[in-house]
Amino acid sequence: MSGTDRTEEQVVLALTAEERALLKRVLEIERAKLHVSRYEATDDLLAAVKEIMP
């Protein structure tokens, strides 16, 4: 199986705890964008990364 044959579930399961936390936060921010027009997520994404990464 090549890297491109992996399923979404396999990719998520291979993530570290920190990577999963970051992914979860990014998805929360993206979901919030759907409800707010003209939302600029750059600051929120940067803050989420800084919370997780040293």
Side-chain angles (χ1 to χ4, degrees):
M1 178 183 288
S2 72
T4 58
D5 293 335
R6 295 189 309 170
T7 66
E8 184 177 316
E9 182 178 0
Q10 290 170 323
V11 171
V12 171
L13 290 173
L15 297 175
T16 65
E18 292 84 12
E19 290 168 335
R20 279 193 215 125
L22 178 59
L23 176 60
K24 179 181 177 190
R25 183 64 183 128
V26 168
L27 292 174
E28 288 169 350
I29 292 167
E30 288 297 318
R31 192 175 307 124
K33 285 172 44 178
L34 295 174
H35 301 291
V36 179
S37 63
R38 303 182 70 83
Y39 177 75
E40 176 55 53
T42 304
D43 292 336
D44 288 340
L45 289 170
L46 182 58
V49 171
K50 285 182 178 180
E51 284 179 25
I52 296 165
M53 306 300 272

